[in-house]
Amino acid sequence: MASKPSRIRRIRNIGIAAHIDAGKTTVSERILFYTGRIHKTGEVHDGAATMDWMEQERERGITITAAATTCAWKEHEIHLIDTPGHVDFTVEVERSLRVLDGAISVFCAVGGVEPQSETVWRQATRWKVPRLAFVNKMDRIGASFERVVTEMREKLGAHPAPIQIPIGAEDRFEGVIDLVRMEKLTFEGKQGEELVRSPIPEALRGEAEEAKEQLIEALADVDDGIAEAFLGGETIAPERIIEVLRKATCENRLQPVLCGSALRNKGVLALLDAIVDYLPSPVDVPPMLGTHPTTGVAESRPPEIAAPFSALAFKVAMDEGRRHVYLRVYSGRIEPGKEFLNASTGHKEKIARLFKVHANKKERLDEALPGDLVLAAGLRFARTGETLCDEKHPIVFERMDFLKPVISLALEPKQNKDLEKLEESLKKLADEDPTVELRRDEDTGQTLLAAMGELHLEILVERLRTDFGVEVNTGKPSVVFRETIRAEKELEERFERALSEDGEQRIFAAVKVRIRPLERGAGQSFDDARPEDNRTLHVLSDKELEAVRLGSLEALEAGPIDSYPVQDVGITLLAVEKRPQETTEIALRVAAANAVRRAMKEANPTTLSPLMKLEVVVPEPVVGSVVGDLSSRGARIEGVSPEGDRSVVRAIAPLTKMFGYSTALRSMSEGRGTFSMHFSRFDALD
């Protein structure tokens, strides 16, 4: 049995991510089959994929929630997360990439780099996750390996390094050429379980040698030793190529590219070898960085058992009505029954049980070590993005930021007796998913459920019925708006109240602020720009200044038009006035809030609507109809580009005009059109 430190070096924490329908779940299914984790492959189109275990996933043939599993390949332990491709569930990709050491980006050989592919790639880049690329569906009509590699470079700003080239394409696709060892690879057996290596056919040798030279040139750009050997005309051993390419991949300088057809059982065996050869172990990535929760001093946690325990909660899940939390352990070790600190909240917690997960099945564990992805039961408070650690060595890792929901609907139980049950169920759904928000409409008393899109809302309502046993009536989906200002305004507010009937006890504060519009997406800001004479005459303690800041930002929670949240506003404190014995933190907070509220009313406020980035793929003959329809919906057409016998229409459209678009597109294109839509920004429509 390998020692524990040696085991950590043989762990691969990887995710599979891509645009919807690129074949991620099929790739996952083949990985599980070839590694012996399952003994029969289930297909997505049959509703039988292992990793798509939810009822809603099997009905629709799409992945909704990130599913985790563990399998073994060539004495390595692969922790695998299959993530959703639909943009409504991008939070699942975000929080998975946050804790992974490597990823496989799956691209469709026909569709190429599609919109959600770009989103996923940017997410991985933000978290500095090393990647492999797998060009899937090489057997499909219109497949082009070269086009996908070019689009990776042009659309993603990637540095693709093909280590394979396909042998044939479409119905003539039969295997690949391994450029590292210069061999032909075919995948034999009933389910492609036998990888057969043979010499490269003479007819393909010239193309292979040219592609090999391009690979060596890419490696020469990142390694001086390879550059010298290449310029000297030396033959470079496959082991040396793997060593340099692994280092470049772990440093995010290159992305190895492979190809195949997962559904036809071609290419996934070679992909498994590449996972082991090129993607990092927990030891190969930099130590996890964080800060001390009270001092703010930067600290780090190396992936060592002897280091203080630290882990990140990256997902909350309800299983048979019980709350479970997925953890990525970064350092130290944890056992059931041990108490530790939630450094993000200050709560102490205790793990009751630990599990290794395979989709929706669990296996008990006695301990978790650095690099492990585990499921913990018994955690009452931990939420997505929070840090768990040794109480004597506290640390807080960087939290995750999530998009705000842009669409909502009203809910009410079909039976009044289920009202309390509905509220509890909704809280559990919001606990699981940071992109779900609940609020009560003060005017109607209705409960509003907000999410990332129509499909997201539909799934949540279905889960209320199937997972929690609550039948609900729903109102028509409505859009979540924001407000902002278009002008600058200075204003002073004086707050004074008598606390006693005789008026002798009073509280007082005066605050002068300037508010100004910021560029779209800038959020909110507060700064103190009082002149020196005001600072000297009316000294503010740290707590008093914080009260002014909190009051100012509190005012932005509801705008002057329709009480929507206010964004893209900068607040500057210009002056305060205090009175001895009368000025309190509460008075300063109220005065600041009132000043900002009044100023917003006079700063030309406006409503911001959610704008969506839209990509529509349709047959060439119906492009005109599609463009005309989008224009009538207030969309701004950004471009139309041909892709084979289809065209791609790109546009920015207001979400308010896009309800029911799938039905309209189906009618215009006779069912042959597809589209994807994701949130772009809030902006004014006028």
Side-chain angles (χ1 to χ4, degrees):
M1 181 181 292
S3 66
K4 289 178 179 178
S6 174
R7 172 184 168 256
I8 296 171
R9 290 185 177 277
R10 293 179 177 273
I11 288 175
R12 298 292 183 271
N13 286 318
I14 64 167
I16 301 185
H19 188 89
I20 193 169
D21 282 340
K24 301 176 313 305
T25 301
T26 305
V27 171
S28 299
E29 203 74 9
R30 295 305 182 271
I31 287 175
L32 297 181
F33 176 73
Y34 294 135
T35 58
R37 196 67 178 82
I38 59 175
H39 303 290
K40 179 184 178 183
T41 57
E43 306 302 349
V44 175
H45 53 265
D46 293 332
T50 306
M51 302 298 273
D52 286 350
W53 57 269
M54 292 176 64
E55 178 182 325
Q56 293 82 4
E57 293 176 314
R58 296 191 165 182
E59 285 178 358
R60 291 170 172 77
I62 62 171
T63 302
I64 292 169
T65 184
T69 190
T70 300
C71 54
W73 184 252
K74 294 187 175 179
E75 299 182 347
H76 287 72
E77 188 177 321
I78 299 175
H79 300 160
L80 174 68
I81 295 181
D82 177 31
T83 63
H86 196 286
V87 68
D88 281 13
F89 310 105
T90 190
V91 63
E92 294 285 341
V93 184
E94 178 78 14
R95 57 187 174 187
S96 299
L97 288 172
R98 176 68 174 85
V99 298
L100 293 172
D101 300 322
I104 302 167
S105 290
V106 179
F107 298 99
C108 173
V110 180
V113 176
E114 298 173 279
Q116 187 65 0
S117 307
E118 296 183 46
T119 301
V120 170
W121 194 270
R122 285 196 302 271
Q123 289 172 309
T125 299
R126 180 164 62 252
W127 296 115
K128 300 178 182 176
V129 179
R131 277 145 281 176
L132 299 176
F134 183 72
V135 180
N136 193 29
K137 302 190 179 184
M138 284 300 304
D139 60 314
R140 294 274 298 275
I141 294 174
S144 172
F145 178 75
E146 295 78 11
R147 187 182 75 244
V148 177
V149 172
T150 299
E151 288 186 358
M152 285 180 65
R153 195 174 287 115
E154 294 177 351
K155 290 186 176 183
L156 304 177
H159 302 284
I163 59 174
Q164 297 176 349
I165 55 173
I167 300 174
E170 301 179 344
D171 59 354
R172 292 175 288 105
F173 176 67
E174 59 177 276
V176 301
I177 291 176
D178 177 356
L179 300 177
V180 176
R181 295 179 176 83
M182 290 301 280
E183 296 174 327
K184 174 184 176 181
L185 306 184
T186 52
F187 307 89
E188 310 295 340
K190 187 177 180 181
Q191 290 187 277
E193 66 274 12
E194 183 183 350
L195 192 157
V196 177
R197 297 180 179 273
S198 58
I200 298 173
E202 201 57 41
L204 298 174
R205 181 158 290 280
E207 181 185 354
E209 288 176 349
E210 183 182 344
K212 172 68 171 280
E213 186 171 325
Q214 292 173 357
L215 173 61
I216 299 300
E217 285 179 0
L219 293 175
D221 287 340
V222 299
D223 184 88
D224 292 340
I226 293 283
E228 290 175 12
F230 176 63
L231 293 173
E234 299 176 27
T235 299
I236 302 168
E239 293 74 20
R240 176 64 175 150
I241 292 174
I242 292 172
E243 176 191 353
V244 173
L245 186 52
R246 175 182 177 78
K247 185 173 184 293
T249 303
C250 292
E251 293 174 352
N252 268 310
R253 301 177 72 183
L254 291 175
Q255 293 86 37
V257 185
L258 302 89
C259 60
S261 170
L263 188 62
R264 304 299 172 212
N265 306 307
K266 290 179 169 63
V268 178
L269 281 172
L271 177 63
L272 274 164
D273 288 341
I275 290 169
V276 168
D277 288 342
Y278 303 116
L279 289 180
S281 74
V283 177
D284 297 317
V285 296
M288 189 64 171
L289 301 178
T291 56
H292 192 284
T294 54
T295 66
V297 174
E299 297 195 13
S300 65
R301 291 290 183 269
E304 298 171 1
I305 300 172
F309 167 71
S310 67
L312 191 75
F314 69 94
K315 181 176 177 177
V316 177
M318 297 297 165
D319 183 19
E320 297 177 350
R322 295 193 177 109
R323 189 177 193 270
H324 291 73
V325 180
Y326 283 87
L327 302 178
R328 161 67 194 261
V329 180
Y330 284 100
S331 62
R333 56 182 286 177
I334 188 68
E335 299 170 343
K338 290 287 182 70
E339 191 174 71
F340 54 87
L341 175 71
N342 182 333
S344 301
T345 64
H347 289 110
K348 291 182 182 179
E349 299 235 40
K350 184 183 290 186
I351 291 176
R353 292 174 300 282
L354 281 174
F355 302 97
K356 181 190 291 185
V357 178
H358 175 52
N360 61 334
K361 298 181 176 64
K362 303 191 294 289
E363 300 171 19
R364 289 284 285 268
L365 290 174
D366 295 327
E367 65 176 0
L369 302 176
D372 282 340
L373 300 176
V374 295
L375 187 67
L379 301 181
R380 297 172 56 202
F381 305 108
R383 302 193 67 178
T384 300
E386 294 180 347
T387 306
L388 313 178
C389 62
D390 184 334
E391 186 179 1
K392 295 179 181 177
H393 302 88
I395 189 171
V396 176
F397 298 139
E398 181 184 352
R399 294 197 65 150
M400 294 177 253
D401 292 323
F402 300 109
L403 293 172
K404 293 292 185 182
V406 295
I407 184 172
S408 67
L409 53 73
L411 295 174
E412 62 180 29
K414 287 189 175 180
Q415 300 182 40
N416 287 334
K417 66 181 180 67
D418 286 338
L419 182 59
E420 188 174 328
K421 188 176 180 182
L422 172 62
E423 291 178 354
E424 290 177 1
S425 302
L426 288 172
K427 286 177 182 176
K428 288 179 179 179
L429 289 175
D431 188 24
E432 280 188 337
D433 190 340
T435 60
V436 170
E437 287 187 359
L438 303 172
R439 66 183 180 89
R440 183 170 292 278
D441 189 311
E442 298 300 332
D443 295 329
T444 65
Q446 290 178 307
T447 298
L448 300 180
L449 175 66
M452 298 304 296
E454 287 183 276
L455 179 60
H456 196 185
L457 286 173
E458 185 181 319
I459 297 296
L460 291 169
V461 170
E462 278 193 30
R463 288 194 59 200
L464 285 172
R465 176 179 58 82
T466 58
D467 296 2
F468 300 99
V470 182
E471 298 282 352
V472 295
N473 294 318
T474 61
K476 184 180 178 182
S478 60
V479 174
V480 177
F481 295 94
R482 297 286 186 270
E483 295 181 26
T484 193
I485 57 173
R486 289 185 280 196
E488 192 172 295
K489 179 67 180 178
E490 290 184 11
L491 194 143
E492 181 179 20
E493 177 74 18
R494 303 173 73 83
F495 176 76
E496 189 169 7
R497 290 287 186 276
L499 298 180
S500 60
E501 291 185 4
D502 57 13
E504 290 188 8
Q505 286 186 297
R506 308 181 67 80
I507 58 172
F508 168 84
V511 174
K512 184 177 182 180
V513 298
R514 178 197 304 125
I515 64 172
R516 66 191 186 283
L518 302 179
E519 63 182 21
R520 291 290 170 264
Q524 304 166 344
S525 70
F526 174 87
D527 63 290
D528 181 5
R530 289 173 293 149
E532 196 59 40
D533 59 341
N534 185 261
R535 290 173 183 267
T536 303
L537 186 60
H538 300 283
V539 178
L540 287 181
S541 68
D542 289 345
K543 287 187 177 180
E544 288 174 330
L545 181 58
E546 178 65 6
V548 174
R549 187 188 74 84
L550 290 174
S552 300
L553 297 178
E554 188 179 276
L556 302 183
E557 293 176 2
I561 302 175
D562 291 305
S563 297
Y564 291 116
V566 181
Q567 66 177 48
D568 306 334
V569 172
I571 303 170
T572 300
L573 177 61
L574 299 178
V576 298
E577 183 184 339
K578 296 173 60 178
R579 291 178 186 169
Q581 314 303 321
E582 292 186 6
T583 298
T584 64
E585 291 172 25
I586 290 178
L588 287 166
R589 185 167 179 165
V590 172
N594 289 344
V596 173
R597 288 192 185 100
R598 281 184 54 209
M600 284 194 295
K601 291 180 180 178
E602 301 176 28
N604 194 10
T606 188
T607 301
L608 301 177
S609 177
L611 300 185
M612 312 301 286
K613 191 172 184 179
L614 191 68
E615 189 159 305
V616 188
V617 182
V618 290
E620 178 62 35
V622 300
V623 168
S625 300
V626 169
V627 169
D629 178 73
L630 288 174
S631 297
S632 71
R633 295 171 183 266
R636 187 179 74 246
I637 308 299
E638 296 196 319
V640 180
S641 55
E643 282 191 6
D645 60 348
R646 303 182 302 171
S647 288
V648 181
V649 181
R650 295 178 177 85
I652 297 291
L655 177 59
T656 50
K657 301 293 182 68
M658 295 307 295
F659 291 118
Y661 184 66
S662 56
T663 302
L665 179 62
R666 195 179 303 120
S667 174
M668 284 184 286
S669 65
E670 297 179 342
R672 292 181 293 162
T674 61
F675 79 101
S676 63
M677 181 172 68
H678 66 270
F679 176 72
S680 173
R681 65 184 186 278
F682 282 99
D683 211 339
L685 294 181
D686 51 8

